[in-house]
Amino acid sequence: MTRDDQPGETPPFAAFLGDFYAECDEHLAATRQALLALEESLPAGRPSRGTLDELFRSFHSLKGLAGMVGLTPAEQLAHHLEGVLRPLRQGGTTLTPATLHALLAGTHALDQAVAAHRTHAPQPSIDSTLEELVARAPSPEHAPPQEVRGSQGQGLTADEQAQVDAALARGGRLWSAEFTPSPELAARDVNVNTVRARLQERGELIRVTPRVSAGGGITFAFLLAATLGEAAATELAAYGVALAPYQPSPPAQAPAPPPPAPIPAAPSHVVRVDLERLDELLHLVGELVITRARLATQLEQLEPLIPRAEWRALQETSQALTRRLREIRGGVVRVRMVPIGEAFARVQFVARDLARELGKQVQVELHGQETEIDKFLIERMRDPLLHLVRNAVDHGLERPDERAARDKRPGGTILLRAVTAGDTVTVEIGDDGRGIDPAPVAARARELGLIEGDAPLDADQLLDLLCAPGLSTRAIADRVSGRGVGLDVVRTAIRDLGGTLSLRTSLGQGTQFRIALPLTLLVVDALLVAAGGQTFAVPLSRVREVVEVDPERVVAVEGREITLHRGCALPLLRLARRFGLDETTGARYAFVAGESELVGVVVDRLLGKREIVVRPIADSLGQTPGIGGATELGDGRPVLIIDVPGLLARAG
C-alpha cells in the first residue's frame, strides 16, 4: 500500500493541500504548453533547450510537490518523465514520435493521479505508463536519482549540480533559506508560495525540500543561487525566511541566527482564495442590493413628509450609496474573473492528442485568450468546450488524404475565439472540415418521428435535431461522441448557465458553434416589464432594443403575428399569452431578443431598469420553461425572471 492509499491518514500539512493543488494545476498547464511546443519541433528532432528546461522544471517541481504530500504515483511518474527528458537536454538523443507519445501519456497519467487525490478517488493504474516511460529512457536513469557530491554542493542530483555550476559560473553564490509557515505569517498573506516567488525574483531556485518536524510542523528548505545584499536579506527576513550561505556540510557549533527585527512585509501580488469564499462575498453583495432597493422604496414613501432641503440631502446620500454599492459589486465580480485562456489551454492539448491518435493533422488557433470570465463559468464550461472540440477533430476534420482530394491542405484548423461585448462573453469553436450535411440528419429525424415533410432545414432547426437526445447518424458508436450524441447535454449545460448555443455550417467548408454567456450570474442589470397584471424581470444582456408596437401595423400570418421593424418582418410573442395571463388591449411595447432570428416580446408596460439578485428555483416541480429564476424588489414583492432563450425556444 502506497502512502497516499492509507485510509484515515491525514498529513500534518493538510492545511497546505489547497496550495498544493493550485500549484500542481499551474505546473501541469505549463507542461501542456511545453509539450505542444515540443510537437511543433518534432520534424527537426531538436527542440529548443528553453522548452526542455521549462518542461524539466515543471516535472521536477511536481515530483517534489507529490513527495511532500505522499502522492507516490505522481512522484514516480514525474521522476520517470525527468528520465525521458534528461538525454534530450544533454543532447544525447533526438526527439522521436515515440518519445513524444511517452511524454504525453505520462503527463496525462500525472494529471489523473493529482485529480484522483483531489477528489479522494482510487488512484488509476500507472503500470503501463511507467513501462512506456522506462522503455524511452536509457537504463541508468531508471533508478532513483543518485546524489552527486561536488566541490560546491552536497546531496545534489546531477541536474541540480549542473544548475549550480552554471549559476556559479555567472558569478552567483549559493544560499540556504528556510521558511516555517505560521498563523501569524498567514495572517499577513505570507505562505510558501509567497516566499518561493520572492526567492525566484532574487535568483535561481535550485531545490525545495520540505521537512516534517517531530511536532508535526513543516519547514521548507530552499537552495538558491543568487547575488544578495544586506537589503535583500532584510526583506526576506520580514517574510520569516532565515538566510545563510550554503555549506556543503553543517558547520560545527553554528550559532543560531539572531531573530530578525520586525519589518512590515511588502504586500503579495497574488492571493489564492477559495471560490466558495468569493461566492459568499457575492451573495452578501446581493443582499446589499436588495436592502438598497428597500431603502429607495421607503424613501419614496417618506418624500411628502420630509422638508425639501432635508429630502435633497437624503437623495444625495442615497445616490452616493448606490454608486458605492455598484463599485463594490464590480470589484467583487472582477476578483472572480480569470482569463478564458485557462480553459483554452486544456482544450488545445486535448485536440492535439486526439488528432495524433486518429492519424489526423490539426492546427489549433487561439484568439482572445485574455478575455476574462467568471471562474464559476470557466469550471462549468470545460466539459462542453472539450466535447465540441473533440467532435470537431473526430468528425469535423477530414483525414489528410480526404483533404488532399478536396484540394485542401493536409492539416485542418480548429479555431477557438473569445470576445466580450457588454455583459456577455461569446466563445466560438470552429473547424474548416467537411461541415454537417443536413440530409442524413433530416432522414434520421424522420425515422424517429421528430419531423415531417421534406422542407430543407435551417441552422436553428438543424441544431435542434442534433441536440435531440438519441439522434445520431452513425451506425456504430465510437469512443468519441458523434455530432448528435451529447450535444443535448452541451446545450442543456449552456442554458443552465443562462447562455445560448447557435450553429453555422457549410458543407465542405466547416462548422462553427457559437456560445453566448453572461459574464457573471448572481447580480445582473434587468429591465422590469408588466404583462397580464404581473411584473417580470428581463436580463438586459438578452435585450437588443426596446420598440413601440403600433397595433395597426400588426398582421397575422398562419396564426403568427408579425410587424414591420427596420424594413424586415419581426415575429411577435405576447408574454401574457405565453404564460396564460389575462391579455390587455393596451400592449404597445416589445423588447427585441434572439440570436440568428429576432423576436419581439410584447408587454403591457416598461417599468424601468433595475439591479437585481438572481435566485434560482431549485424545486423541479416549480420550474416552468421560460422562467429562469426569481428576484425580490425593494417593496418585498417577488418577481419572476424571464429566461429569454428558453422562452423563445419553447415558443418555436
Side-chain angles (χ1 to χ4, degrees):
M1 179 179 290
T2 59
R3 283 176 286 172
D4 55 293
D5 294 326
Q6 296 176 4
E9 182 176 325
T10 302
F13 38 85
F16 298 98
L17 281 179
D19 287 338
F20 164 73
Y21 295 130
E23 193 153 353
C24 282
D25 288 343
E26 291 176 4
H27 287 301
L28 286 169
T31 297
R32 296 186 193 100
Q33 292 295 334
L35 287 173
L36 292 172
L38 278 189
E39 184 184 42
E40 294 175 357
S41 67
L42 190 59
R46 291 286 182 182
S48 72
R49 179 59 187 261
T51 301
L52 292 173
D53 287 347
E54 181 181 357
L55 197 55
F56 190 89
R57 281 194 296 269
S58 295
F59 288 141
H60 191 69
S61 299
L62 286 165
K63 181 173 72 173
L65 289 167
M68 183 178 70
V69 301
L71 184 51
T72 305
E75 186 179 12
Q76 292 176 332
L77 286 164
H79 167 61
H80 286 283
L81 284 164
E82 285 181 320
V84 174
L85 278 180
R86 190 169 287 111
L88 288 171
R89 296 177 70 222
Q90 295 172 349
T93 184
T94 59
L95 180 65
T96 65
T99 301
L100 180 61
H101 184 273
L103 291 171
L104 290 166
T107 300
H108 180 66
L110 186 57
D111 193 357
Q112 287 184 317
V114 175
H117 191 271
R118 189 197 308 248
T119 59
H120 307 289
Q123 281 292 322
S125 173
I126 61 172
D127 294 343
S128 60
T129 305
L130 288 179
E131 289 177 3
E132 184 176 5
L133 292 173
V134 168
R136 294 294 109 206
S139 56
E141 307 297 344
H142 300 166
Q146 300 295 315
E147 294 184 348
V148 178
R149 299 181 182 270
S151 58
Q152 300 293 340
Q154 180 175 342
L156 302 178
T157 66
D159 289 288
E160 290 170 345
Q161 183 67 58
Q163 285 182 275
V164 167
D165 293 341
L168 294 177
R170 293 192 296 267
R173 183 180 178 186
L174 288 183
W175 298 87
S176 175
E178 290 193 352
F179 171 73
T180 302
S182 69
E184 293 77 16
L185 291 170
R188 292 160 44 198
D189 291 331
V190 176
N191 54 39
V192 64
N193 296 308
T194 310
V195 171
R196 182 195 299 270
R198 290 298 179 189
L199 292 175
Q200 288 175 330
E201 291 173 0
R202 295 294 181 179
E204 184 177 359
L205 201 55
I206 306 297
R207 183 177 63 186
V208 183
T209 307
R211 297 197 307 265
V212 180
S213 65
I218 184 170
T219 295
F220 295 90
F222 299 86
L223 179 59
L224 180 71
T227 302
L228 299 178
E230 184 177 349
T234 302
E235 179 189 349
L236 291 171
Y239 282 82
V241 178
L243 192 68
Y246 177 74
Q247 299 289 340
S249 59
Q253 298 179 350
I263 300 177
S268 176
H269 295 294
V270 177
V271 178
R272 289 194 178 107
V273 181
D274 191 280
L275 187 58
E276 290 184 1
R277 295 189 179 184
L278 294 179
D279 287 340
E280 293 174 2
L281 189 57
L282 194 54
H283 279 287
L284 288 175
V285 172
E287 295 298 330
L288 285 175
V289 169
I290 294 175
T291 303
R292 165 68 190 88
R294 289 176 180 168
L295 176 61
T297 301
Q298 292 168 359
L299 285 176
E300 290 176 1
Q301 295 170 351
L302 292 174
E303 181 179 3
L305 307 177
I306 301 176
R308 189 76 175 172
E310 286 81 352
W311 170 252
R312 281 206 193 96
L314 280 175
Q315 280 291 87
E316 290 175 1
T317 303
S318 176
Q319 291 170 1
L321 178 61
T322 300
R323 288 193 296 270
R324 297 291 87 78
L325 184 55
R326 181 171 286 272
E327 291 172 1
I328 292 173
R329 169 199 162 188
V332 173
V333 169
R334 284 193 298 273
V335 168
R336 295 171 58 94
M337 296 293 183
V338 295
I340 200 170
E342 175 185 319
F344 279 4
R346 181 180 295 269
V347 166
Q348 184 183 22
F349 186 76
V350 169
R352 296 290 184 90
D353 190 33
L354 182 60
R356 189 182 306 105
E357 180 181 333
L358 298 174
K360 298 181 178 181
Q361 299 177 20
V362 61
Q363 177 182 356
V364 181
E365 294 184 4
L366 304 180
H367 300 277
Q369 300 180 71
E370 70 285 352
T371 300
E372 293 190 333
I373 188 172
D374 194 303
K375 176 67 173 177
F376 175 85
L377 294 174
I378 287 281
E379 296 295 328
R380 296 302 186 275
M381 281 302 300
R382 276 180 177 160
D383 287 344
L385 282 177
L386 285 174
H387 186 93
L388 293 174
V389 169
R390 289 169 71 90
N391 272 350
V393 175
D394 189 24
H395 306 305
L397 296 180
E398 310 95 332
R399 294 190 304 273
D401 55 339
E402 292 181 73
R403 294 181 64 86
R406 297 176 181 177
D407 293 328
K408 295 183 177 182
R409 55 186 183 82
T413 299
I414 301 292
L415 174 67
L416 292 174
R417 177 187 289 115
V419 63
T420 301
D423 291 334
T424 302
V425 62
T426 300
V427 182
E428 296 176 356
I429 305 97
D431 64 70
D432 64 347
R434 56 174 61 94
I436 302 176
D437 187 351
V441 176
R444 180 59 177 158
R446 292 188 192 98
E447 292 177 10
L448 298 175
L450 298 177
I451 60 172
E452 297 178 356
D454 298 326
L457 302 176
D458 61 24
D460 289 340
Q461 292 171 326
L462 178 60
L463 179 60
D464 287 339
L465 291 178
L466 292 173
C467 292
L471 187 144
S472 176
T473 57
R474 284 205 158 194
I476 301 175
D478 62 1
R479 185 178 66 84
V480 183
S481 298
R483 292 232 191 239
V485 179
L487 274 182
D488 57 325
V489 178
V490 170
R491 185 158 73 170
T492 298
I494 292 170
R495 282 183 173 174
D496 288 345
L497 297 174
T500 59
L501 177 68
S502 57
L503 167 70
R504 187 173 64 205
T505 186
S506 176
L507 198 58
Q509 301 299 317
T511 300
Q512 181 189 77
F513 286 94
R514 184 173 181 268
I515 301 170
L517 292 167
L519 287 178
T520 189
L521 295 178
L522 182 61
V523 183
V524 299
D525 291 322
L527 174 68
L528 296 185
V529 300
Q534 300 290 329
T535 302
F536 298 93
V538 185
L540 273 180
S541 60
R542 297 298 178 199
V543 178
R544 287 177 173 262
E545 61 178 315
V546 174
V547 298
E548 187 172 358
V549 178
D550 184 355
E552 296 183 358
R553 303 183 67 182
V554 176
V555 297
V557 179
E558 297 182 354
R560 298 291 182 99
E561 290 182 314
I562 63 172
T563 188
L564 191 64
H565 175 62
R566 300 187 186 278
C568 299
L570 178 69
L572 298 179
L573 171 65
R574 296 188 179 272
L575 192 61
R577 185 182 304 172
R578 170 65 189 86
F579 292 125
L581 302 174
D582 295 333
E583 295 187 52
T584 63
T585 57
R588 300 181 60 89
Y589 299 96
F591 62 86
V592 180
E595 294 296 329
S596 58
E597 294 186 3
L598 301 181
V599 176
V601 181
V602 181
V603 298
D604 298 344
R605 287 181 298 145
L606 305 175
L607 305 179
K609 191 179 78 170
R610 190 73 57 86
E611 197 174 40
I612 65 170
V613 178
V614 179
R615 304 294 193 196
I617 300 176
D619 188 353
S620 59
L621 297 178
Q623 292 180 349
T624 300
I627 299 298
T631 189
E632 181 183 346
L633 298 184
D635 56 6
R637 285 184 299 147
V639 169
L640 294 176
I641 302 172
I642 299 297
D643 170 21
V644 176
L647 178 73
L648 301 186
R650 183 71 174 180

